[in-house]
């Protein structure tokens, strides 16, 4: 039994190139949206973070679960370059459940330490950003003297 309608031209299959092109376009669009969302931390990054002035970057640090932050953080923030020009370092730590928390430590000469923490990927935590300021690296290390912005 023929499935064509009488008088209608036979249906031609859609070329594989067209199907692949559509799939690729959808994938690229989705990836582009994902990248934008990631860069803006879901659109929830505070204005103070989005509009922060650029500073020289130290190498990013990843802290394994339940481990203290390595000395590389304080070495970056106390370096001669940081004292002269300022510096920023990203520290990524994992929660007990394995969710990443990203903390940006920034130091500018004479301005103390600014700390932005992105906990938006923490499924069991606040799920929000925080912004703190510490008078110096010593206060940051002791946890005393830092205040929320």
């Amino acid at each position: 039994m023929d499935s064509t309608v009488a008088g209608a031209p036979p249906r031609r299959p859609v070329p594989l190139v067209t199907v692949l092109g559509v799939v690729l376009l959808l994938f690229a669009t989705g990836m582009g949206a994902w990248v934008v969302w990631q860069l803006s931390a879901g659109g929830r990054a505070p204005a103070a973070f989005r509009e922060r002035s650029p500073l020289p970057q130290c190498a990013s640090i990843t802290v394994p679960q339940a481990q203290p932050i390595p000395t590389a953080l304080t070495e970056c923030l106390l370096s001669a370059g940081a004292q002269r020009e300022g510096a920023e370092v990203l520290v990524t730590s994992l929660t007990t459940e394995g969710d990443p928390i990203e903390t940006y430590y920034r130091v500018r000469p004479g301005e103390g330490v600014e700390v932005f923490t992105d906990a938006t990927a923490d499924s069991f935590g606040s799920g929000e950003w925080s912004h703190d300021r510490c008078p110096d690296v010593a206060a940051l290390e002791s946890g005393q003297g830092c205040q929320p912005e």
Side-chain angles (χ1 to χ4, degrees):
M1 176 166 157
D2 189 0
S3 63
T4 59
V5 176
R11 290 184 50 173
R12 289 185 292 166
V14 177
L16 181 59
V17 172
T18 302
V19 172
L20 290 176
V22 169
V23 168
L24 184 59
L25 178 65
L26 291 173
F27 177 75
T29 302
M31 284 304 294
W34 181 81
V35 166
V36 168
W37 182 80
Q38 286 293 315
L39 291 175
S40 67
R44 296 179 278 188
F49 179 79
R50 291 189 318 267
E51 298 166 4
R52 72 194 191 283
S53 60
L55 290 173
Q57 299 288 310
C58 293
S60 296
I61 300 169
T62 300
V63 181
Q65 225 173 32
Q67 297 294 313
I69 293 176
T71 58
L73 172 63
T74 53
E75 288 171 359
C76 166
L77 299 179
L78 292 173
S79 70
Q83 299 305 307
R84 200 174 44 256
E85 302 172 37
E88 179 174 297
V89 62
L90 167 62
V91 176
T92 303
S93 56
L94 300 177
T95 66
T96 306
E97 299 80 22
D99 295 333
I101 295 181
E102 294 183 333
T103 304
Y104 300 81
Y105 296 89
R106 298 169 47 83
V107 64
R108 286 182 276 187
E111 294 187 32
V113 181
E114 187 174 34
V115 182
F116 289 97
T117 302
D118 175 7
T120 56
D122 185 0
S123 306
F124 296 95
S126 70
E128 296 183 0
W129 281 80
S130 65
H131 181 196
D132 300 298
R133 195 170 292 276
C134 304
D136 53 33
V137 175
L140 176 66
E141 289 178 310
S142 70
Q144 297 179 356
C146 299
Q147 300 292 320
E149 282 285 302

